[in-house]
Amino acid sequence: MTRTIKLAVIPGDGIGVEVTEQANRVLDAVLAGGDVVLDRTEFKLGAERFLATGDTLPAAEQAAIAEHEAILFGAVGGVPGDPRLKNANIERGLLLKLRFDFEHYANVRPCALFPGVESTLKHPGEVDFVVVREGTEGPYAGNGGRLRAGTPNEVSTEVSVNTAFGIERIVRHAFSIAEQRDRKKLTWVHKTNVLVHSGATWQRIVETVAAEHPGIAVDYMHVDAATIHMVQNPAQFDVIVTDNLFGDILTDLAGAIGGGIGLAASGSINPDRTFPSMFEPVHGSAPDIAGQQKADPTAAILSAALMFDHLGLQAEGDRVRDAVRADLAARGTAARSTPEVGDAIIAAIAPRA
Ligand code: IPM
Ligand code: MN
C-alpha cells in the first residue's frame, strides 16, 4: 500500500532556497519506485516574504503547516542590519515560533567526521557524536524585557527559564538516543559552578534519569571546559545533552570540527509527535553568497536523512547517508556548485535493498 507523507517545505531565503532544492531532489531519488510518496506544500516565509507582504508567520499559515507530517526547512534571514528588516522579527517570529509552538524540544545535531573530509583539527581522531540541545527553554524562552530603553537608566533582562518538565523530557530523550548507540555514553554540559539554580535542577534530573539507565556511562562538563575537550579530544563524546544556548554555541563549534558548517545537519524534533518536526541545516541563509549556487547542500541533504529516520524510514535515511559518505570519500569538500553536489549524491544512491 502506498504511504503518502504530507511534507511542508519552507525554503526560506538566500542559500536556503538553493540547498532545499537539492534536498528535495535527493528525497525524490531515494523514494523513486517505492511505495512512499511525498505530498508537498511550499510555504514562502522568511525575509523576502516579509519585504514583499509584511508577514512573518500568519496564523493561518502556521495552522496549515501544523497539518503536515514533517517540515523541510532551508534557512531564513536577510542581510544583517538591513533597516527594512528591523521589525521583521524573523528569528523569534518565525523560526523560534515554529520550534516553540510545535514543541521541538529536542534539537538533535549529529557531528561525524566523514572519510575524505578535512576537519579544522589536525588530529581529530574518530569523531561521531550527537548534541541533543534543549529547544524550548533556557535563555531562549523570551522571558525578559527592556525598561527605560534608550536612556542611561536602561535595564534589560533575559531570564533563563528552566522547568523540571522541560529538562526531564530532553534528558530522557538524550538517554534514549544513548541507548540506541554503540558506546553507551552521555555527557551533560552546563555551568553548574555559576548557574547554581538551574544547574541544581539539571543535576537532580540527570541523576534521577541516569539511575534508570545503568548501562549508560554518564559524565559532566562545564560548558567552557567542554569547548576545550571538543577541540582537543572530540573522539571522547558520544551523546551530549545540554541547555538551549549552550547547545547553540557548541553545535557551531561541532560543525567546524565535523568539516564545516556546510555539512552540519539538524532536526528540531517533537519526539511526542503532537506537531510536525522540522529538519534544517545548522547554517543560515548566507546572503553574501546567495543566488550563486555556491553553497554546499550536504547539510540540508543530511537533515533530510534525519527526517527519513524520524518518519520511520531508517533504510531511506541510511541510503542518503551512505550516498553522502561515498560522495565525500570520492570528492571531499572541494569547491563544486550546489547542483553538482546534488547530482553526485543522487548518482551515489544505492538501489533499494
Ligand atoms: C540555530 C540558529 C538559530 C538558533 C537562530 C537563527 C535563531 O543559530 O539554529 O542554531 O539560535 O537556534
Ligand atoms: Mn546556531
Side-chain angles (χ1 to χ4, degrees):
M1 223 182 69
T2 301
R3 172 177 171 196
T4 302
I5 294 172
K6 287 184 72 181
L7 178 65
V9 182
I10 307 176
D13 301 306
I15 65 165
V17 177
E18 297 160 41
V19 299
T20 303
E21 186 184 346
Q22 301 308 317
N24 271 318
R25 290 180 63 215
V26 170
L27 288 172
D28 286 337
V30 169
L31 294 177
D35 51 11
V36 175
V37 295
L38 298 176
D39 175 10
R40 292 182 175 88
T41 317
E42 188 175 312
F43 294 85
K44 288 199 194 319
L45 295 166
E48 285 297 322
R49 164 74 181 275
F50 177 83
L51 290 176
T53 69
D55 295 319
T56 300
L57 178 59
E61 268 158 271
Q62 182 172 340
I65 295 167
E67 294 303 312
H68 292 73
E69 246 183 283
I71 306 163
L72 189 68
F73 193 96
V76 293
V79 179
D82 182 340
R84 298 170 307 156
L85 292 171
K86 203 169 157 262
N87 300 313
N89 199 14
I90 298 293
E91 279 81 6
R92 279 210 165 271
L94 173 54
L95 182 57
L96 296 183
K97 185 153 173 52
L98 289 172
R99 288 186 189 164
F100 288 6
D101 290 358
F102 291 171
E103 303 271 6
H104 295 160
Y105 64 84
N107 195 246
V108 175
R109 299 185 157 182
C111 174
L113 187 58
F114 289 103
V117 176
E118 239 180 79
S119 171
T120 43
L121 303 180
K122 266 194 205 138
H123 304 290
E126 294 271 317
V127 179
D128 184 8
F129 63 86
V130 51
V131 178
V132 183
R133 164 189 176 195
E134 202 289 321
T136 57
E137 308 196 330
Y140 274 66
N143 182 9
R146 230 166 136 215
L147 303 176
R148 303 190 288 265
T151 76
N153 296 322
E154 182 164 334
V155 178
S156 47
T157 57
E158 204 84 59
V159 181
S160 178
V161 174
N162 300 267
T163 69
F165 167 79
I167 297 168
E168 184 172 337
R169 65 181 182 174
I170 191 62
V171 168
R172 286 197 179 283
H173 190 65
F175 270 95
S176 76
I177 292 176
E179 290 284 5
Q180 290 155 29
R181 294 169 59 95
D182 294 336
R183 279 187 290 158
K184 308 272 180 269
K185 186 175 171 197
L186 179 141
T187 305
W188 71 284
V189 172
H190 204 275
K191 183 76 188 176
T192 56
N193 50 344
V194 176
L195 307 182
V196 294
H197 310 301
S198 56
T201 310
W202 270 85
Q203 178 164 3
R204 177 176 71 74
I205 290 168
V206 170
E207 285 172 359
T208 305
V209 178
E212 297 170 22
H213 295 271
I216 304 291
V218 179
D219 65 359
Y220 169 76
M221 275 176 204
H222 292 319
V223 63
D224 48 350
T227 63
I228 301 178
H229 284 281
M230 203 172 267
V231 169
Q232 291 188 340
N233 179 18
Q236 71 184 289
F237 294 111
D238 183 17
V239 176
I240 295 173
V241 64
T242 193
D243 154 276
N244 204 339
L245 181 59
F246 298 148
D248 176 48
I249 297 165
L250 283 179
T251 54
D252 266 19
L253 177 58
I257 290 166
I261 201 82
L263 304 181
S266 166
S268 286
I269 295 175
N270 172 334
D272 309 327
R273 296 172 191 273
T274 47
F275 288 100
S277 293
M278 188 156 87
F279 299 86
E280 39 169 333
V282 174
H283 65 69
S285 62
D288 52 327
I289 56 161
Q292 301 175 36
Q293 297 286 356
K294 268 187 182 171
D296 189 338
T298 305
I301 290 166
L302 288 172
S303 302
L306 291 174
M307 183 176 88
F308 273 143
D309 298 343
H310 179 75
L311 294 169
L313 301 169
Q314 181 80 44
E316 284 73 10
D318 287 341
R319 283 168 65 219
V320 175
R321 279 181 290 267
D322 289 346
V324 167
R325 196 185 308 275
D327 174 55
L328 290 170
R331 283 166 288 271
T333 48
R336 284 180 284 166
S337 76
T338 311
E340 268 176 325
V341 178
D343 289 345
I345 291 171
I346 289 168
I349 293 170
R352 61 187 64 250

